[in-house]
Amino acid sequence: MIVRPFANKLLIAAALVPLAGCIRFGASPPPSLLTIAPQVQPTVGAAQNSAGARSIVVEIPAVPQSIAGTRVPVQATDTSIAYVKDAQWAEPPARLFARLLSDTLTARARMLVLSPVQSFDDPSATIGGELRAFGVDAGQRQAVVIYDASFTPAGRTAVQKQRFEARIPVTAIDAAQSGVGLSQAANQVAQQVSDWVAAQR
């Protein structure tokens, strides 16, 4: 029996139908993406000039592998990490925190935040370091942000370091509570760092 080309196409399509429900390309997206809500922001329309303001470069912090992606880690035990179900950041925490710190330094410390390229023509201070924790402690039911800051004043080579930490209680370990708690904790740390940098000379 000879099967015509059209019939061949129908047979192939029919064979693929049962597989359609079994194959999934990539993970299902979460219902929504999380981000950080800044508590202080630069004033819209306010001009800044490096001649009349201290300038600083904010580096994206280094991070451990557990927070290098966009999932929200949960410290389940001292030696194990899980992730909050359906919780995902809009972008990696290191970038979110660096942007928050930039806005906070501008609004709270009245500093001019420059890019590394812009700082070539304007000797600037530098703030960097490591974001050690940006997740949930299941045992304590707290959102935890820990940042080891490294600050280098403008025109100097000596580096000053200090650890900053904030813990916010969460009533449930889910996407909504984790997002709100971590946003508040990140703001607390950013404000602590801003006050510390503003006091350095």
Side-chain angles (χ1 to χ4, degrees), residues 140-154:
Q140 300 295 321
R141 284 190 171 267
Q142 294 175 330
V144 182
V145 174
I146 301 174
Y147 177 56
D148 285 347
S150 300
F151 176 70
T152 306

Side-chain angles (χ1 to χ4, degrees), residues 40-64:
V40 292
Q41 299 185 58
T43 303
V44 176
Q48 286 185 297
N49 191 313
S50 60
R54 294 172 64 195
S55 57
I56 190 169
V57 172
V58 177
E59 298 177 342
I60 296 175
V63 294

Side-chain angles (χ1 to χ4, degrees), residues 26-195:
S28 297
S32 61
L33 297 177
L34 303 175
T35 191
I36 295 174
Q39 293 176 355
V40 292
Q41 299 185 58
T43 303
V44 176
Q48 286 185 297
N49 191 313
S50 60
R54 294 172 64 195
S55 57
I56 190 169
V57 172
V58 177
E59 298 177 342
I60 296 175
V63 294
Q65 190 60 38
S66 60
I67 57 174
T70 56
R71 294 188 295 175
V72 179
V74 178
Q75 191 75 43
T77 69
D78 289 342
T79 56
S80 65
I81 294 175
Y83 289 92
V84 179
K85 182 181 178 182
D86 295 331
Q88 185 172 316
W89 295 109
E91 57 184 318
R95 292 186 176 277
L96 288 172
F97 183 76
R99 187 175 300 112
L100 173 68
L101 184 55
S102 295
D103 286 347
T104 305
L105 284 165
T106 300
R108 191 177 177 95
R110 306 300 179 192
M111 298 189 77
L112 175 64
V113 178
L114 301 176
S115 69
V117 174
Q118 292 170 328
S119 69
F120 285 138
D121 296 325
D122 190 321
S124 306
T126 302
I127 183 76
E130 182 178 7
L131 192 59
R132 299 292 298 271
F134 204 91
V136 179
D137 184 329
Q140 300 295 321
R141 284 190 171 267
Q142 294 175 330
V144 182
V145 174
I146 301 174
Y147 177 56
D148 285 347
S150 300
F151 176 70
T152 306
R156 302 183 192 176
T157 57
V159 178
Q160 303 174 47
K161 299 188 72 174
Q162 186 166 321
R163 171 168 289 190
F164 299 89
E165 179 176 331
R167 294 175 175 267
I168 300 295
V170 293
T171 56
I173 301 177
D174 58 19
Q177 289 293 311
S178 298
V180 171
L182 285 167
S183 180
Q184 293 178 4
N187 273 279
Q188 283 191 17
V189 169
Q191 290 170 22
Q192 293 168 12
V193 174
S194 176
D195 292 346

